[in-house]
Amino acid sequence: MNKNKTLLSENYFDQNIYEKEKTNIFYRNWCYVGHTSQIENAGDYLTTDIADESLIIIRTDSGELKGFYNVCRHRAHPLLSDNGNVRSITCPYHAWNYSIDGKLKHAKNADKMKDFKKSDYCLSSFQVIDICNFIFVNLDDSAEHLSEQVEGFEEDLKEKVPFLDRLRALPVDKKRPSTVKANWKIVVDNYLECYHCTKAHPAFANLIDMKHYQTDVYSFWSRQYAPITNPDSNAYKFDKKSPVQDMCFWFIWPNTALGYVPGVEALFFSSIRPDDIGNTTRFGHWLVTDDTVLPDGFIDYMNRVLFTEDISICEAVQKGMKSKSYRNGPFMIDPDHSGISETAVQSFHALFRKTLSMDSESG
Ligand code: FES
Ligand SMILES: [Fe+2]
């Protein structure tokens, strides 16, 4: 393995790698699933899919957040879909009924069966936490708390986002392009560097001052930051008096991407999830305050230009990865320490190799 080179190309299309990723990455790490403003009242729930597992996150009567696999303990039918509010959970197949804290309450004929104990069939649960009202789940019960893993992240987020406590989730924008015909790691790689911005996103490169772009890498998270931005760019115009004049994108291993852009008092939170080895959904949404004003043309620029430019790059790279001429490439690290560097991608690949124990990988 050469730590100055990217992952070997087969990591982006080999089905065996995907199976290992599910076990070692997606079922053992913290994944973002939503904001507490989406499930404020007892019985409010949302459902989400993480690498082939369907999950329920629900607010119980005591106000706690709980997570249950969306699988009936009888014959495995899914229990809930989308989001909403329930007083109890009834399986659509044979009508087993569970309380919102996961206990089996009713199963037809169970009282006639001598050895049947309802307590043996509670819904299977997993860890749910919130950090600054952002909900994360982890399917590994022994995993350490996310706050311990991403030391310094919460402080950084609070410092850079003074409007954090006033945020509420906007409904998911169905017009936002969110599916990508590429492996999930290509989408993460692309998110983690702005080496491509000048060529691939000319309007974005005009919105921020690329000369002052900074990339900082910590053990399980990283940050890209632009302190100087242009309110009169070709991307969208924003108010020079807006309280947000800079730009910041964070990344939390393995697949959480969040950030804000100039002139908009809002935060974007997203989770880059594999649908299979070659397809990815960038599940995500905007969070705004009651005072947020979206600049004219802003959503249109994000959806139709910026996201779309990245999607077509990622889909093209997925094709290139399969060429027999290509195995991997060099990380472009600026020796002058500018932020236009692939240091965060290098750190992501190092974590990936370590997690999948690829110490013997050649190339
Ligand atoms: S599968 Fe749910 S009640 Fe039978
Ligand atoms: Fe990009």
Side-chain angles (χ1 to χ4, degrees), residues 190 196 201 310:
N190 175 257
H196 70 279
H201 306 303
D310 277 328

Side-chain angles (χ1 to χ4, degrees), residues 71-79 90-98 107:
V71 180
C72 182
R73 294 294 311 276
H74 177 222
R75 297 242 308 276
H77 197 284
L79 295 162
T90 302
C91 179
Y93 196 177
H94 313 92
W96 277 26
N97 178 262
Y98 302 86

Side-chain angles (χ1 to χ4, degrees), residues 16-287:
N16 296 321
I17 296 283
Y18 181 53
E19 294 306 320
K20 281 194 202 158
E21 288 177 341
K22 283 201 278 188
T23 317
N24 295 334
I25 297 179
F26 291 100
Y27 301 162
R28 281 198 194 152
N29 282 284
W30 293 99
C31 279
Y32 176 70
V33 293
H35 189 256
T36 54
S37 60
Q38 296 172 276
I39 42 175
E40 280 181 321
N41 303 309
D44 283 356
Y45 73 88
L46 51 90
T47 59
T48 197
D49 283 351
I50 296 178
D52 299 339
E53 286 288 356
S54 176
L55 310 172
I56 299 169
I57 296 92
I58 193 163
R59 176 90 59 188
T60 66
D61 285 321
S62 64
E64 222 185 327
L65 289 176
K66 289 253 187 197
F68 301 115
Y69 289 84
N70 193 10
V71 180
C72 182
R73 294 294 311 276
H74 177 222
R75 297 242 308 276
H77 197 284
L79 295 162
L80 295 173
S81 54
D82 299 327
N83 50 42
N85 181 280
V86 284
R87 288 313 308 145
S88 66
I89 300 169
T90 302
C91 179
Y93 196 177
H94 313 92
W96 277 26
N97 178 262
Y98 302 86
S99 64
I100 56 176
D101 60 359
K103 296 195 183 70
L104 178 62
K105 290 289 186 205
H106 180 75
K108 196 162 55 183
N109 290 346
D111 45 352
K112 297 184 194 159
M113 290 169 53
K114 199 158 67 35
D115 297 327
F116 188 94
K117 281 210 260 119
K118 283 194 202 138
S119 55
D120 287 343
Y121 298 99
C122 295
L123 293 179
S124 303
S125 63
F126 51 82
Q127 291 200 74
V128 182
I129 55 158
D130 82 86
I131 285 192
C132 306
N133 295 326
F134 299 102
I135 308 169
F136 288 82
V137 302
N138 194 321
L139 306 188
D140 176 1
D141 288 339
S142 64
E144 67 172 352
H145 196 287
L146 180 61
S147 297
E148 283 159 39
Q149 198 180 54
V150 292
E151 216 189 330
F153 165 74
E154 257 176 277
E155 291 74 18
D156 196 46
L157 183 66
K158 284 180 188 157
E159 188 196 308
K160 291 207 164 39
V161 187
F163 50 91
L164 198 61
D165 292 342
R166 296 187 285 124
L167 289 172
R168 61 182 165 78
L170 280 182
V172 170
D173 175 2
K174 298 235 162 63
K175 291 207 199 103
R176 186 179 74 88
S178 60
T179 55
V180 193
K181 290 191 218 74
N183 180 264
W184 70 278
K185 297 187 294 300
I186 288 179
V187 180
V188 172
D189 292 347
N190 175 257
Y191 174 78
L192 285 174
E193 49 86 4
C194 215
Y195 183 56
H196 70 279
C197 291
T198 315
K199 175 71 178 155
H201 306 303
F204 183 76
N206 182 241
L207 172 71
I208 56 174
D209 179 349
M210 298 301 293
K211 285 196 203 72
H212 292 87
Y213 202 84
Q214 302 163 12
T215 302
D216 290 291
V217 176
Y218 304 94
S219 47
F220 285 94
W221 63 283
S222 60
R223 178 189 51 229
Q224 298 172 72
Y225 184 65
I228 303 172
T229 58
N230 171 15
D232 299 311
S233 79
N234 313 329
Y236 59 90
K237 318 266 177 240
F238 63 88
D239 190 342
K240 292 181 185 66
K241 295 199 194 86
S242 163
V244 186
Q245 294 291 330
D246 52 356
M247 182 223 82
C248 195
F249 293 157
W250 288 269
F251 177 74
I252 300 174
W253 164 262
N255 68 335
T256 302
L258 63 141
Y260 61 85
V261 290
V264 193
E265 201 176 44
L267 198 61
F268 187 76
F269 236 98
S270 69
S271 174
I272 297 164
R273 311 233 186 114
D275 298 320
D276 55 41
I277 182 75
N279 289 284
T280 300
T281 295
R282 195 164 162 185
F283 157 89
H285 56 174
W286 286 97
L287 298 118

